[in-house]
Amino acid sequence: MSHEPITPSIELFSAISDEMRLKILMLLDQAEFTVNEIKDILDIHQSNASRHLAKLSACGLLKDRRDGIKAYYRLSEELLLSGKVLTVIRDSFGVLPDKDILLCRAEQALQDRTDKTKGQIHKLDQAGGSLKAQISLFSKLMIPFETAVDVGCGEGGDLSLMLANRCKNVLSLDCDPKVISGLNKILKQKKIENVTPKVADMTKTGLPENFADLVLMSQVLHHATDPRLALKEAIRILKPGGTLALLDLAQHKEESFRTTHGHIWLGFDRNQLELFVKEFNCKVLQSEIIPSENEVDKKLPVICMIMVKQ
């Protein structure tokens, strides 16, 4: 344990021995939440929620990110890298008497967030969707795949149609029924029969484990209510040895994208993404940041990653 970022201490055990703080850790192990969401799920006063969050943060167990006046809390990278401490905490969730009720409330809170952002996902000609980025991604996918899943196919399903030429079967997922309806019409017009559109959330696809040879996530992760959960689900549906191809925005400061494009996250730190996928037993084969082609049109740098499930 001495080699892990977080080591046992009196302060640590004091923090996690409280049942309410253990419930907060359980919720944040599912997704990131605001103080208001946490207090509603746990049915406690906001002041109590803030006090518990401060105690957990002081021990290095939590981190937060700002979105305007809101603060979203998540498990810290240090905790996720501390396997033994994390196991002790997760094993303790099982004894919580109302854990199933709380997890249902948490799921509903995430669904409420998703409902607010439906219809705001744009096509690849938007920020980060440069030709250079697309070419870089597809140059790494020039081998045929049996079954591919395009997560967040978006209006027009551009990448799904491209995958149809390289894959035997393509499943196109999007949370917006209008997008799926539109894609069905396009497929009918083009007489493409190996692409199947499906309404699904990227954090809960409803697909079985070990389903796909390729999972593609292009310009969708910054719309996820919780990117870690979305990556976990993508890796879950991959077959062992399957490929996860990711293209998304690098960290930026274009706050306007939250309203104009429906972005939840202002890009990502590449090291954080690599940490997430390694946690879920996925090996990073290639990782690069592709510079912007045209900053005038707000074409931002993107992260291109190719990973394999071990």
Side-chain angles (χ1 to χ4, degrees):
M1 257 190 213
S2 61
H3 300 295
E4 297 185 347
I6 294 179
T7 56
S9 66
I10 293 176
E11 291 76 14
L12 175 68
F13 287 124
S14 174
I16 64 176
S17 63
D18 182 272
E19 182 176 326
M20 192 60 67
R21 287 195 284 272
L22 193 59
K23 290 178 179 179
I24 290 175
L25 288 171
M26 179 184 68
L27 296 178
L28 298 182
D29 196 28
Q30 309 303 311
E32 60 169 19
F33 290 101
T34 65
V35 177
N36 277 333
E37 289 171 331
I38 291 171
K39 66 101 172 171
D40 288 342
I41 294 170
L42 297 179
D43 194 22
I44 58 176
H45 291 294
Q46 183 170 330
S47 59
N48 286 340
S50 297
R51 176 170 56 83
H52 289 308
L53 288 166
K55 178 81 171 179
L56 293 169
S57 297
C59 294
L61 301 177
L62 304 183
K63 289 286 180 66
D64 66 86
R65 70 173 176 92
R66 296 285 167 176
D67 181 0
I69 60 174
K70 295 181 181 178
Y72 287 85
Y73 288 86
R74 67 178 190 274
L75 299 186
S76 69
E77 287 77 11
E78 290 79 9
L79 175 56
L80 294 174
L81 287 171
S82 302
K84 294 181 179 178
V85 172
L86 186 60
T87 297
V88 170
I89 292 173
R90 285 174 171 167
D91 286 348
S92 301
F93 297 162
V95 302
L96 295 174
D98 53 350
K99 67 170 186 174
D100 292 333
I101 295 174
L102 298 179
L103 290 176
C104 285
R105 291 178 186 171
E107 184 175 343
Q108 184 58 54
L110 292 174
Q111 184 60 51
D112 292 343
R113 264 197 252 161
T114 300
D115 291 342
K116 293 177 183 178
T117 59
K118 278 183 179 178
Q120 291 184 296
I121 296 180
H122 288 227
K123 297 173 70 175
L124 277 181
D125 58 0
Q126 299 295 330
S130 69
L131 179 61
K132 182 192 297 183
Q134 294 179 54
I135 290 174
S136 178
L137 178 68
F138 272 86
S139 68
K140 300 173 175 62
L141 301 175
M142 293 308 291
I143 60 172
F145 292 91
E146 180 80 10
T147 303
V149 177
D150 181 9
V151 179
C153 59
E155 184 183 351
D158 299 329
L159 297 183
S160 290
L161 300 183
M162 294 172 69
L163 287 173
N165 295 318
R166 302 293 303 169
C167 305
K168 185 175 180 180
N169 298 294
V170 178
L171 190 62
S172 303
L173 308 182
D174 201 283
C175 65
D176 191 343
K178 293 181 180 178
V179 167
I180 296 302
S181 177
L183 180 55
N184 271 315
K185 293 178 181 178
I186 292 173
L187 295 172
K188 187 175 181 180
Q189 292 170 357
K190 294 181 178 291
K191 297 182 179 180
I192 297 174
E193 298 180 351
N194 65 330
V195 176
T196 304
K198 180 180 188 290
V199 178
D201 184 86
M202 72 180 83
T203 62
K204 184 178 282 190
T205 63
L207 298 176
E209 291 186 17
N210 306 327
F211 174 80
D213 302 285
L214 168 68
V215 173
L216 175 66
M217 303 183 76
S218 180
Q219 295 292 303
V220 296
L221 199 60
H222 53 257
H223 291 285
T225 52
D226 191 303
R228 178 171 164 268
L229 281 185
L231 288 170
K232 181 179 181 180
E233 176 66 2
I235 295 168
R236 184 190 69 81
I237 65 176
L238 261 183
K239 296 177 182 177
T243 299
L244 171 61
L246 173 70
L247 186 72
D248 217 294
L249 295 171
Q251 279 187 331
H252 62 88
K253 297 181 180 179
E254 294 292 342
E255 287 283 344
S256 62
F257 283 10
R258 298 191 191 276
T259 53
T260 60
H261 291 59
H263 290 198
I264 297 176
W265 292 74
L266 298 181
F268 299 95
D269 176 76
R270 180 168 53 169
N271 292 331
Q272 185 180 35
L273 292 180
E274 291 181 0
L275 171 66
F276 286 159
V277 298
K278 288 177 182 176
E279 179 191 357
F280 303 128
N281 200 30
C282 215
K283 181 180 180 181
V284 178
L285 298 182
Q286 299 183 49
S287 177
E288 64 175 321
I289 295 180
I290 303 169
S292 169
E293 290 182 52
N294 185 354
E295 293 186 3
V296 175
D297 294 332
K298 292 186 177 180
K299 294 285 188 182
L300 300 170
V302 299
I303 300 170
C304 181
M305 297 174 64
I306 300 295
M307 297 147 280
V308 63
K309 182 176 180 178
Q310 296 179 307

